Amino acid sequence: MNFEQLGLIKPILDALKVQGYEQPTPIQEKAIPSILQKKDLLGSAQTGTGKTAAFAIPILQNLSEKEQHKNQIKALILTPTRELAIQIEENFKAYSKNLKLKSLVIFGGVKQHQQEQQVKKGVDILIATPGRLLDFISQGIIKLHHLEIFVLDEADRMLDMGFVHDVKRILKLIPAKRQNLFFSATMPKEIAKLASEILVNPVKVEVAPVSSTADTIQQSIYFVEKDNKPDLLIHLLQDQKLDQVLVFSRTKHGADKIARKLHQSKISAEAIHGNKSQNARQNALNNFKSKKTRVLVATDIAARGIDIDELKYVVNYELSDVSETYVHRIGRTGRAGSEGTSFSFVDGLDLANLRNTEKLIGKKIPVVTDHPYHTNDLVEQKRDSNNKPFIPRPKPQQKADIGFKKPKNKGFFRKK
Ligand code: AMP
């Protein structure tokens, strides 16, 4: 199957060629024809599958054939994070370079003036995070009465981040008659319910369930004591082949600490997490993309959706308690079939998570022993919610049984 066979128009085909896309990914092959026919769609797919193009391409084609409501918002894409929003807009811009459709991205955390000015110039396709969109609607800056297509991206992440209420408010503010496209990496009950409230007779498309890790990613485990993790990372980075490395840290504080340690060893590194301003995050991401910085240390939320073409190396500095996170993390590399390598550092606190992760992905991850910090002596420990070793509280001593039986008459102790 190629893009021509999907019935795409020449301006889009030409733009895809410029992007170097040779053939559609499975989700594109399945979703594009239905979206072109203006059907609702329920897509079960994570980032890295080519899902953005799967909805962006047919939306562009359908809107390019319309004469009415030029420069008015006809498609809205809601997405949970600013990074994702920016990336989606970059995709729309790339695929529409030969069309006369305007796309724009708006998100919170930065002053609104510039975004407001751009909205006023006219927009056909709006990509937004929920908070900023509601802000603009309530100020009368954005009107959605010509909306025809509504896309909810990363619905499960919307739920995680507490945006579902905002999404429901937005749904009440848009025309009832519209095409709906709903994407989620996982389908917990609450998400399935939300989908059923939004979609009408949807076509269902499912690709690469979250438990599968791409075969093109070479995965490895390093058993290491916690205190040796910084040195192990520096040791791995002595290999200059690792020129662009994304390191995952469980905590914001941990991310800063890792970046500092790398700096001390003259390795360029920056950290991104929720405590940094939007501008600082975007700058760090740009520096990493352009390879000005060699290592980007990120927390899971900050890294979700980071899309770097040809990122080859991912380090899990710790394993997450949520096994699916492993799949999402290493999915940053080996995207759309290219090759990638992941290194996971496992100490006593990570052992239980390693077991659960291997259960989820259904395979054992090979252990690398050939490094100076290898240990066979890890002892399994649990973490508490602060990422510290969990120390169980001593159980209260059982009261001695003195043979006293509570009377059955409940009124026995009541004062008269
Ligand atoms: P996504 O799942 O939308 O985050 O896309 C993952 C990556 O795959 C992005 O870098 C896209 O540019 C790339 N991509 C999307 N579709 C194709 C395709 N048909 N061929 C090659 N790369 C693609």
Side-chain angles (χ1 to χ4, degrees):
M1 173 75 77
N2 56 34
F3 283 112
E4 280 83 0
Q5 287 165 310
L6 290 174
L8 298 180
I9 53 176
K10 189 159 184 307
I12 293 182
L13 289 172
D14 289 346
L16 297 179
K17 267 196 205 108
V18 173
Q19 289 299 302
Y21 297 1
E22 282 165 11
Q23 59 185 54
T25 65
I27 189 158
Q28 291 162 6
E29 213 176 292
K30 292 180 194 161
I32 290 175
S34 308
I35 302 177
L36 284 175
Q37 288 169 23
K38 308 200 174 163
K39 290 185 181 154
D40 278 11
L41 184 110
L42 176 62
S44 218
Q46 59 191 89
T47 48
T49 53
K51 78 173 154 78
T52 313
F55 64 78
I57 292 170
I59 288 177
L60 285 167
Q61 176 143 336
N62 283 348
L63 293 185
S64 74
E65 287 162 356
K66 272 191 76 90
E67 283 301 318
Q68 305 135 288
H69 309 309
K70 281 228 155 25
N71 291 339
Q72 317 247 28
I73 299 168
K74 293 179 285 299
L76 168 68
I77 293 90
L78 268 191
T79 189
T81 69
R82 300 147 191 184
E83 284 82 2
L84 268 173
I86 291 170
Q87 271 164 30
I88 294 173
E89 207 251 349
E90 282 171 1
N91 282 20
F92 268 99
K93 279 253 160 28
Y95 311 142
S96 66
K97 68 193 282 286
N98 305 319
L99 299 171
K100 286 202 183 81
L101 289 166
K102 285 203 229 168
S103 53
L104 177 70
V105 59
I106 60 165
F107 45 80
V110 291
K111 293 211 175 83
Q112 75 170 50
H113 179 74
Q114 210 185 348
Q115 293 177 2
E116 187 182 336
Q117 292 308 104
Q118 285 176 301
V119 171
K120 286 180 178 157
K121 283 188 203 153
V123 180
D124 298 286
I125 298 150
L126 183 72
I127 299 103
T129 53
R132 178 57 52 104
L133 177 65
L134 280 168
D135 253 12
F136 273 21
I137 297 175
S138 67
Q139 294 175 51
I141 299 166
I142 279 181
K143 297 199 169 59
L144 294 170
H145 50 275
H146 291 305
L147 194 79
E148 294 170 23
I149 309 166
F150 172 72
V151 183
L152 187 64
D153 185 40
E154 304 253 338
D156 52 352
R157 187 56 35 156
M158 290 275 192
L159 184 74
D160 273 4
M161 294 176 71
F163 287 149
V164 166
H165 185 66
D166 283 350
V167 172
K168 288 186 175 167
R169 278 179 62 201
I170 293 164
L171 284 168
K172 288 194 186 129
L173 301 170
I174 58 178
K177 193 172 166 293
R178 55 174 197 257
Q179 182 182 18
N180 299 290
L181 313 174
F182 188 109
F183 291 88
S184 193
T186 57
M187 282 292 163
K189 258 200 211 125
E190 257 180 289
I191 289 300
K193 186 165 167 277
L194 182 66
S196 70
E197 285 164 16
I198 297 178
L199 300 165
V200 184
N201 291 331
V203 173
K204 292 185 181 139
V205 174
E206 197 174 332
V207 294
V210 71
S211 61
S212 69
T213 47
D215 295 336
T216 50
I217 304 170
Q218 204 188 327
Q219 305 166 54
S220 55
I221 296 291
Y222 286 70
F223 284 133
V224 54
E225 294 294 349
K226 184 168 187 272
D227 291 346
N228 287 333
K229 284 188 177 183
D231 291 330
L232 173 59
L233 182 58
I234 291 161
H235 169 76
L236 289 179
L237 289 166
Q238 277 167 4
D239 183 350
Q240 294 303 323
K241 202 173 67 198
L242 277 70
D243 58 344
Q244 197 182 35
V245 185
L246 180 59
V247 177
F248 284 95
S249 158
R250 280 169 54 104
T251 63
K252 299 171 196 173
H253 175 68
D256 285 333
K257 213 161 129 187
I258 296 165
R260 263 201 313 275
K261 286 262 184 199
L262 293 176
H263 263 286
Q264 285 163 6
S265 299
K266 309 259 174 309
I267 296 168
S268 64
E270 286 187 81
I272 56 166
H273 51 67
N275 287 0
K276 303 232 163 175
S277 73
Q278 169 62 17
N279 282 341
R281 280 156 68 171
Q282 200 54 46
N283 283 341
L285 194 56
N286 290 344
N287 289 340
F288 185 59
K289 279 188 179 180
S290 63
K291 299 200 179 173
K292 240 194 242 162
T293 353
R294 191 172 161 206
V295 182
L296 186 69
V297 191
T299 55
D300 288 301
I301 297 261
R304 177 89 184 223
I306 288 181
D307 178 17
I308 296 149
D309 282 344
E310 291 171 20
L311 174 69
K312 289 205 181 74
Y313 304 99
V314 166
V315 173
N316 290 309
Y317 199 80
E318 298 109 353
L319 288 183
S320 164
D321 291 340
V322 182
S323 305
E324 280 84 359
T325 301
Y326 177 83
V327 183
H328 287 307
R329 285 177 174 185
I330 72 164
R332 302 299 100 214
T333 174
R335 285 161 96 74
S338 67
E339 280 182 15
T341 306
S342 78
F343 310 91
S344 300
F345 294 1
V346 171
D347 65 14
L349 285 163
D350 298 306
L351 280 174
N353 293 335
L354 174 62
R355 221 182 23 243
N356 293 335
T357 301
E358 288 183 331
K359 211 187 288 166
L360 175 82
I361 63 172
K363 61 181 169 201
K364 280 247 170 253
I365 309 166
V367 178
V368 175
T369 55
D370 182 20
H371 63 94
Y373 305 99
H374 176 69
T375 171
N376 272 325
D377 305 325
L378 296 178
V379 178
E380 186 166 327
Q381 272 178 290
K382 286 193 172 131
R383 289 175 201 276
D384 67 13
S385 53
N386 295 317
N387 196 28
K388 300 272 181 325
F390 174 74
I391 302 159
R393 267 199 251 150
K395 276 190 188 150
Q397 280 204 327
Q398 220 141 38
K399 284 205 183 111
D401 184 359
I402 52 168
F404 174 76
K405 269 198 180 144
K406 206 175 161 193
K408 276 189 183 142
N409 178 357
K410 285 184 189 152
F412 187 78
F413 288 112
R414 230 181 261 153
K415 273 188 193 159
K416 290 253 164 86

